[in-house]
């Protein structure tokens, strides 16, 4: 292996999926696994097969479809677990069993009610047994973060002698601080016989907000595999997030470690996991949060518009975003307002821009965050007048045993057009019907539904973001009928795109 390559071991489908409410079915897990393969991770931990028939089945199905990454299955240091994991991995092109046992004082005394010598025996026995089924066996020393280094070194030396190919040093409780975790890895590197024959892995939890820092400290002290999850999801405060580790290694060239991840796919993978797991990403989350590239102060906005690197250390395109978001507040300048209005399809200059800017400042004094809907109200009267597309008619058929179908009538450049389509749901059917009229090849980047209040008669607000030739266009719709609001938002975004690209 290249000495500076860090293997990315993704455990979104195992440690990430253990979070209450985040459970996925097998089809969804396969979708995530395929996205992880496209992202370029080296190892996918697909599940804990003994834990449930669903987990077993997911490992089987993922093993069948994934070609490149190693497929890993978790076990305890228990023979039955190992047998079931081996069976679940039977179709994997590159199978790995991940077995282990607790090594800290707490785990040995209060969880396993055992002693240090017996734990070493059980660890060795588990690795040897796993070796009967697969060549690639990873051993984890659970709660290694709180295990004293001398004893940990003895455990690790014994499992390497038993055949382990990777040794995982989890900070299970997220207790370590970076200097301490780095020292632990260095201690193993310097004191364990044959440690250079195996890969040392980090597996850090985020209870004190230090998972990423600990992982980087581990890498800088000799670890060559990082166990991570998309969006940092996982037990309690989560695991180390994949996007943070990968982007640190990419953007800090002075650290000199690389990964095989195609960073341009980070954002789409993050959105897929967030949607399927029904787990929103916090807006200020590093790399993938909605605000991670949003600038709100006038000085920053002006600086970014003049030269991106004035305030951005990562080009948003590196993670698959098309540009940084300029957040509009009372501190924003004309340049930022003009830029945003253009993205919404309004090219304002001179007096008209000054006029809207004055109204914008007056509104921004009363309202902290100015969103696209507010801007659309500000440019108000001209809004529908200028639109290239207008929704005239929408009829949708859907229900438990019906095939969703939609018929739309649009006014497109002053002429009436009608089309129908079926889809996986009413919104998909309606969007496809619109696409049957407007052939411009746009990509749907974001679709967000929000309720204004909380009642059954609530107005649904829909935001749509589409991408065409590297630029994003936004659309908005509001209606008590959320399908109508969705179609309005979609054709609004299409209108804005066509306004800037009339020949599209
Ligand atoms: O956090 C942990 O210790 C784990 C192990 C099972 C690898 O998830
Ligand atoms: Zn864990």
């Amino acid at each position: 292996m290249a000495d500076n390559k860090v293997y990315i071991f993704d455990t979104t489908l195992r440690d990430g999926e253990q979070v209450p409410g985040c459970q996925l079915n097998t089809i969804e897990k396969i979708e995530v696994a395929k996205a992880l393969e496209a992202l370029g991770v080296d190892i996918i931990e697909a599940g804990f097969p003994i834990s449930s028939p669903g987990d077993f089945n997911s490992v089987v199905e993922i093993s069948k479809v994934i070609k490149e990454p190693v497929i890993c299955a978790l076990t305890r240091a228990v023979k039955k677990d190992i047998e079931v994991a081996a069976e679940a991995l039977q179709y994997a092109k590159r199978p790995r069993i991940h077995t282990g046992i607790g090594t800290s004082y707490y785990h040995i005394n209060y969880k396993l009610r055992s002693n240090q010598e017996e734990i070493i025996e059980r660890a060795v026995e588990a690795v040897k047994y796993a070796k009967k089924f697969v060549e690639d066996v990873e051993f984890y020393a659970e709660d290694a973060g709180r295990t004293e280094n001398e004893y940990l070194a003895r455990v690790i030396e014994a499992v390497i002698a038993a055949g382990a190919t990777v040794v995982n040093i989890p900070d299970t409780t997220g207790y370590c601080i970076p200097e301490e975790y780095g020292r632990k890895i260095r201690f193993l590197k310097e004191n364990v016989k044959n440690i250079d024959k195996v890969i040392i892995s980090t597996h850090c939890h985020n209870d004190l907000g230090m998972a990423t820092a600990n992982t980087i400290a581990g890498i800088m002290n000799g670890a060559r595999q990082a166990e991570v999850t998309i969006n940092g999801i996982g037990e309690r405060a989560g695991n180390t997030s994949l996007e943070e580790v990968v982007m640190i290694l990419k953007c800090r060239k002075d650290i000199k470690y690389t990964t095989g991840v195609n960073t341009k796919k980070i954002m789409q993978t993050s959105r897929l996991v967030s949607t399927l797991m029904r787990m929103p990403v916090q807006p200020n989350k590093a790399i993938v949060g909605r605000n991670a590239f949003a600038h709100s102060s006038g000085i920053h906005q002006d600086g970014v518009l003049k030269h991106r690197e004035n305030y951005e250390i990562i080009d948003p395109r590196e993670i698959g975003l098309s540009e940084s978001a300029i957040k509009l507040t009372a501190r924003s300048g004309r340049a930022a307002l003009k830029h945003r209005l253009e993205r919404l399809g309004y090219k304002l200059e001179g007096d008209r821009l000054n006029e809207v800017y004055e109204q914008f400042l007056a509104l921004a004094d009363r309202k902290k965050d100015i969103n696209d809907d507010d801007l659309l109200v500000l440019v108000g009267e001209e809004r529908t007048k200028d639109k290239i597309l207008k929704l005239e008619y929408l009829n949708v058929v859907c229900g438990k045993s019906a095939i969703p179908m939609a018929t739309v009538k649009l006014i497109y450049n002053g002429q009436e057009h009608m089309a129908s389509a079926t889809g996986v749901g009413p919104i998909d059917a309606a969007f496809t019907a619109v696409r049957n009229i407007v052939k411009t090849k746009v990509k749907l980047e974001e679709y967000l539904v929000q309720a204004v209040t909380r009642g059954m008669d609530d107005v649904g607000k829909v935001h749509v973001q589409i991408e065409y030739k590297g630029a994003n266009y936004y659309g908005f719709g509001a209606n008590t009928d959320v399908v109508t609001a969705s179609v309005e938002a979609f054709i609004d975004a299409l209108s804005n795109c066509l306004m800037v690209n009339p020949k599209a």
Side-chain angles (χ1 to χ4, degrees), residues 14-15 170 172 203 205 235 239:
R14 199 279 297 169
D15 227 349
T172 306
H203 179 114
H205 280 265
E235 289 272 12
N239 288 58

Side-chain angles (χ1 to χ4, degrees), residues 133-436:
F133 301 95
V134 294
E135 174 46 37
D136 191 5
V137 175
E138 174 168 341
F139 173 80
Y140 65 86
E142 195 178 4
D143 206 11
R146 292 188 300 172
T147 303
E148 67 271 29
N149 291 346
E150 287 72 15
Y151 175 64
L152 185 62
R154 283 177 55 213
V155 177
I156 297 302
E157 192 163 304
V159 296
I160 293 174
T165 46
V166 180
V167 289
N168 178 13
I169 312 301
D171 184 21
T172 306
T173 54
Y175 178 75
C176 286
I177 56 174
E179 193 267 334
E180 180 187 16
Y181 189 74
R183 212 171 347 106
K184 193 177 281 291
I185 302 295
R186 169 87 21 216
F187 184 88
L188 297 176
K189 270 283 300 168
E190 289 172 354
N191 292 285
V192 171
K193 195 164 146 212
N194 287 330
I195 193 81
D196 51 328
K197 306 268 186 324
V198 301
I199 293 175
I200 304 180
S201 184
T202 63
H203 179 114
C204 300
H205 280 265
N206 204 31
D207 299 64
L208 293 173
M210 287 188 291
T212 298
N214 284 336
T215 299
I216 297 296
I219 292 169
M220 294 182 80
N221 282 283
R224 288 294 171 272
Q225 176 179 287
E227 305 200 359
V228 292
T229 59
I230 301 290
N231 301 335
I233 61 164
E235 289 272 12
R236 308 179 307 277
N239 288 58
T240 306
S241 86
L242 177 147
E243 58 277 8
E244 291 173 14
V245 171
V246 167
M247 290 316 291
I248 289 168
L249 299 185
K250 180 157 191 180
C251 124
R252 291 296 302 253
K253 301 271 185 278
D254 52 332
I255 300 183
K256 291 201 175 14
Y257 295 110
T258 59
T259 71
V261 167
N262 174 359
T263 62
K264 296 220 160 69
K265 294 201 180 285
I266 284 181
M267 206 58 216
Q268 73 190 63
T269 316
S270 159
R271 285 182 180 145
L272 176 76
V273 168
S274 165
T275 308
L276 291 180
M277 292 196 160
R278 295 161 283 275
M279 182 75 146
V281 176
Q282 75 191 56
N284 58 332
K285 165 82 182 61
I287 316 295
V288 292
R290 181 194 299 229
N291 292 347
F293 294 91
H295 305 276
S296 60
S297 86
I299 295 173
H300 283 211
Q301 290 178 347
D302 189 48
V304 165
L305 289 173
K306 281 188 178 131
H307 184 69
R308 191 189 55 74
E309 282 166 51
N310 284 337
Y311 288 101
E312 273 176 5
I313 56 166
I314 299 169
D315 183 338
R317 285 170 297 194
E318 297 266 12
I319 61 150
L321 280 172
S322 44
E323 60 179 320
S324 56
I326 299 289
K327 220 169 164 38
L328 294 175
T329 67
R331 286 163 291 148
S332 300
R334 262 184 201 71
L337 177 68
K338 182 168 182 286
H339 177 83
R340 182 57 152 266
L341 285 171
E342 274 173 15
R343 288 284 157 251
L344 287 167
Y346 297 91
K347 269 188 187 297
L348 302 192
E349 304 282 354
D351 287 350
R352 180 69 184 131
L353 177 63
N354 289 341
E355 197 184 308
V356 173
Y357 184 62
E358 290 310 317
Q359 291 168 10
F360 159 76
L361 286 183
L363 181 65
D365 267 345
R366 283 181 274 126
K367 196 167 182 278
K368 216 166 61 203
D369 247 354
I370 303 291
N371 58 34
D372 290 349
D373 313 350
D374 300 316
L375 292 183
L376 293 174
V377 172
L378 284 186
V379 283
E381 328 80 77
E382 306 196 359
R383 182 170 147 66
T384 41
K385 184 170 95 209
D386 286 351
K387 291 286 160 177
I388 292 170
L389 292 166
K390 204 162 158 260
L391 179 64
E392 275 288 287
Y393 170 86
L394 170 67
N395 183 37
V396 175
V397 180
C398 64
K400 192 159 184 268
S401 348
I403 294 173
M405 183 170 157
T407 303
V408 294
K409 193 202 281 177
L410 300 183
I411 306 292
Y412 183 10
N413 278 332
Q415 301 211 336
E416 234 176 63
H417 297 261
M418 208 154 169
S420 299
T422 55
V424 292
I427 291 165
D428 182 46
F431 281 21
T432 307
V434 171
R435 282 181 191 272
N436 287 343

Side-chain angles (χ1 to χ4, degrees), residues 85-86 89 95-98 127 129-137:
L89 287 168
R96 177 183 294 180
I97 290 179
H98 188 190
V127 170
Y129 195 60
K131 278 299 248 198
K132 290 189 195 296
F133 301 95
V134 294
E135 174 46 37
D136 191 5
V137 175

Side-chain angles (χ1 to χ4, degrees), residues 412-464:
Y412 183 10
N413 278 332
Q415 301 211 336
E416 234 176 63
H417 297 261
M418 208 154 169
S420 299
T422 55
V424 292
I427 291 165
D428 182 46
F431 281 21
T432 307
V434 171
R435 282 181 191 272
N436 287 343
I437 299 171
V438 184
K439 307 275 193 227
T440 312
K441 294 237 168 313
V442 298
K443 195 164 142 231
L444 185 62
E445 289 269 326
E446 194 168 313
Y447 168 77
L448 184 73
V449 186
Q450 286 171 309
V452 177
T453 56
R454 282 161 184 232
M456 295 280 281
D457 56 351
D458 195 3
V459 172
K461 289 208 307 185
V462 179
H463 292 261
V464 161

